[in-house]
Amino acid sequence: MPDIDPSRLSLERKAALLSGQDFWSTRPVQDAGLPSVVLTDGPHGVRRQVGEFDHMGIYESLPSTCFPPAVAVGSSWDPEVAARIGAAVGREARALGVHVVLGPGVNIKRSPLCGRNFEYYSEDPLLSGHLGAAHVRGQQEQGVGASVKHFAVNNQETDRMRVSADVDERTLREIYLPAFEHIVTEAAPATVMAAYNKVNGVHAAQNRWLLTEVLRDEWGFTGAVVSDWGAVHDPVASVRAGLDLEMPGPSPENARRIVDAVRDGELDECVVDMAVRRIVALAGLAAEQPDETDGSPEFYGSPESYGSDELVGFDADAHHRLARELAAECAVLLRNEDNTLPLASARRIAVIGEFAATPRYQAGGSSHLNPARLDNALDAIRESAAAHGSTVEFAPGFTLDGSGDAVALREAAVAAARSSDVAVVFAGLAESAESEGFDRDDLCLPAVQVELIRAVAAEAARTVVVLSNGGIVSLEGWHDEVDAILEGFLLGQGGGGALADLLFGEANPSGRLAETIPLRLEDNPSFANFPGEHGHVRYGEGVMVGYRWYGTTGAPVRYPFGHGLSYTTFAVGDLAVASTGVDSARVSLTVTNTGARAGKHVVQVYVATEAGPVRRPARELRAFAKVRLAPGESRTIGFDLGRRAFAHYDVQDGGWAVAPGEYLVQIGENAAAVIAEAAVSLAGDAVAQELTLESTFGEWIAHPVIGATLLQELTAALPDDQGSQLGDRPELLQAVRDVPMKRVVGLVEGDALDRTLERLMERTRVVRRP
Ligand code: BGC
């Protein structure tokens, strides 16, 4: 670990350290033995550029394994999948001389239109946080730092470098920050990446509340805060807010501004020193990592050879097998009428759709990799079909760029479907349809594909649709006409093989939706407020994001959050819930594989309550586990639900609160289907709100400490005629419910009531909650 005392460096050298030496690395201090740290994208593979540099995935990068992107990992609902990807990315990073891989991305999928949803896990913060933490742990165990991004509230690409995400604090705390919080507190990432956008009017990269008060002071983050590439606008404000490293670099002009600010007394030098210390600490990753590249650029081969098989430093075949195995954990079987899948008994298979031959497996932008290997589903299906003694006929059905004779392509596909036992249509979005940098306008599949699916379904004995898309697509207009739908999202370079494994039953589907598929885009809760206007996007739906909204309003959806089928069946029983304290509970249940195949079930634990003073979503995911079971096997699973599983964020008190009351622990087949539930009563926080004369009459009456005695004392304090009226006319109490107590006092003669209230107020000044 380099040991550098900032006070021994000149202010100029320190300021220079606060931005990179180039596009992908930090500035070394050779005479002090401080190495340069190489940071690169991420997240589902290593995008190591050694020729020309960019952050939009334009220029070539060295070959590396393209693992399933976050959209797929989210659907695996399996932290082990995330951890194994993190570990493999870490191994490749070491081999490629990288010290920090930029990821995972854990922003919430607020709108299905967000162009980067493929890079994010879920619409739910708990699922995102657990998967993100597992990825970080896996990667960092290899000695390679992570950069959790994009902190925070970066939920759209439209106007992404300027837009202000205007969000109330409860929504921030309950929806947009918890994934970051969980990862920071549980997995200690080496860095956090500050987002491009503003949060409530202040750029994330110069937002002191976010970068210092919340991230460091509350969550205890000790790593370095890195800017997103080009996110720094005012370097002095950024450093003051808690940003340590501006990327990319170098930024001599910004270094000069920092020096001037210190000299002019606008910026305390010790703030600069703190940032330098964190960058020095980060350099520990480089100091501890032996340079497996020998420091020689030739080690990587020439840019011309990137696409070839001249791979270095990691076992590309083993990682490819891993990519295929993990991809099979991620796909979601949405529909499977009459057990159309697996295909084992189909003798003649028509494979239709260009995506079978030209896989769609990753998306555009900074995460775009140069895959070391690449499967396509068609070859893998041919291989499996041969093993099953089946035949395969392929028809592209459409072209990806819209060229060619659409009618002729469709007719050829329909002819193939007609002479098959089953038609498998590979549909989806072309890479040009979604990417970092822009949002989509709708959820539609290209019309030519919808027409193809319908035409095939009308003629084929059975129709299976396999989807490849980074953001969800609408299934309307064709859903009911097909027998099975396998949603692959983007599965990485092993996706083609994984899809064949799933179609033939070599692997049993176990993915679950990490986001809702609505019937209409208009049903999405962010619809009226996305992507905003005049530089602001208002998060008007508050905490009612995704399934929280659909569950609360009861609006029908096509497939709910958490939905996914299997080739086997599961039963859940013996649900027991018991409180383990005033604000915690233990849940246990038994899961049984009641079918004939081994498979994995995702146990989803939701909590529903009306306790407390805030409007709660109908139910919220509070724990989950993916369990593998052999046919007939049963297992008892336990969950400890801590305080946060029951808490809401109390903006008045500025903290988490557990309201006393009843909480339903619900086991969901998905977010819309509760299969077992049990109630638990929690004493919650003993602390009650402190009353003042600004508190309403209703708040006084409802107060757990003095509420019960208030009426008695009030009646006693009032002149006789007023006192008796209170008892006889309950509507009087109702009418003054929302009136501040100081106004009620004004209605009463004399000062007896003032004295009573003074005394009662004193009794409400009690201990705060934990
Ligand atoms: C993206 C980041 C990425 C960075 C470096 C930015 O455009 O928002 O996610 O890590 O570029 O490529």
Side-chain angles (χ1 to χ4, degrees), residues 24 41 55 116 149-150 160 193 196 228-229 366 436:
W24 295 122
D41 290 305
H55 61 111
R116 266 185 120 167
K149 63 191 189 180
H150 308 87
R160 70 168 169 159
M193 185 189 289
Y196 284 132
D228 199 344
W229 268 231
S366 60
E436 174 180 345

Side-chain angles (χ1 to χ4, degrees), residues 351-358 378 393-400 406 408-410 412-414 416 424-427 448-449 452:
V351 174
I352 291 165
E354 183 56 38
F355 288 119
T358 311
L378 182 57
E393 186 179 349
F394 173 65
F398 56 90
T399 57
L400 297 182
L409 284 161
R410 186 165 66 236
V414 170
V424 185
V425 185
F426 284 77
V448 65
Q449 292 187 37
L452 174 72

Side-chain angles (χ1 to χ4, degrees), residues 466-675:
V466 178
L467 292 171
S468 300
N469 39 273
I472 51 162
V473 292
S474 169
L475 313 179
E476 303 318 303
W478 55 271
H479 172 275
D480 296 351
E481 293 162 36
V482 305
D483 301 284
I485 305 174
L486 182 60
E487 173 56 278
F489 293 111
L490 304 179
L491 288 174
Q493 68 179 47
L499 288 170
D501 294 341
L502 291 161
L503 290 170
F504 283 90
E506 302 299 327
N508 190 349
S510 62
R512 299 284 184 271
L513 288 178
E515 58 191 301
T516 311
I517 302 182
L519 286 168
R520 309 177 315 150
L521 172 64
E522 293 85 338
D523 298 337
N524 179 271
S526 74
F527 180 74
N529 286 311
F530 183 93
E533 55 227 354
H534 301 313
H536 288 264
V537 50
R538 201 163 62 86
Y539 284 42
E541 69 284 5
V543 299
M544 299 291 177
V545 174
Y547 72 87
R548 287 169 165 78
W549 167 256
Y550 298 112
T552 303
T553 59
V557 300
R558 172 52 73 187
Y559 286 115
F561 173 84
H563 169 75
L565 305 174
S566 164
Y567 297 152
T568 186
T569 48
F570 298 94
V572 168
D574 306 333
L575 174 64
V577 181
S579 67
T580 49
V582 293
D583 56 6
S584 58
R586 170 105 188 130
V587 179
S588 79
L589 52 95
T590 308
V591 196
T592 307
N593 181 345
T594 50
R597 280 169 185 266
K600 292 185 181 171
H601 184 63
V602 177
V603 181
Q604 303 170 33
V605 182
Y606 296 85
V607 171
T609 189
E610 286 177 3
V614 295
R615 179 100 181 234
R616 314 287 283 254
R619 68 184 57 88
E620 299 184 88
L621 184 75
R622 294 309 195 200
F624 65 94
K626 194 166 188 178
V627 198
R628 185 187 161 81
L629 296 168
E633 187 183 350
S634 275
R635 195 164 322 152
T636 300
I637 321 273
F639 299 93
D640 283 310
L641 298 183
R643 176 175 172 78
R644 280 289 282 277
F646 303 101
H648 66 275
Y649 192 81
D650 184 324
V651 290
Q652 279 182 338
D653 265 11
W656 294 95
V658 175
E662 190 170 89
Y663 292 80
L664 278 179
V665 173
Q666 304 181 320
I667 308 304
E669 179 60 37
N670 53 58
V674 172
I675 49 177

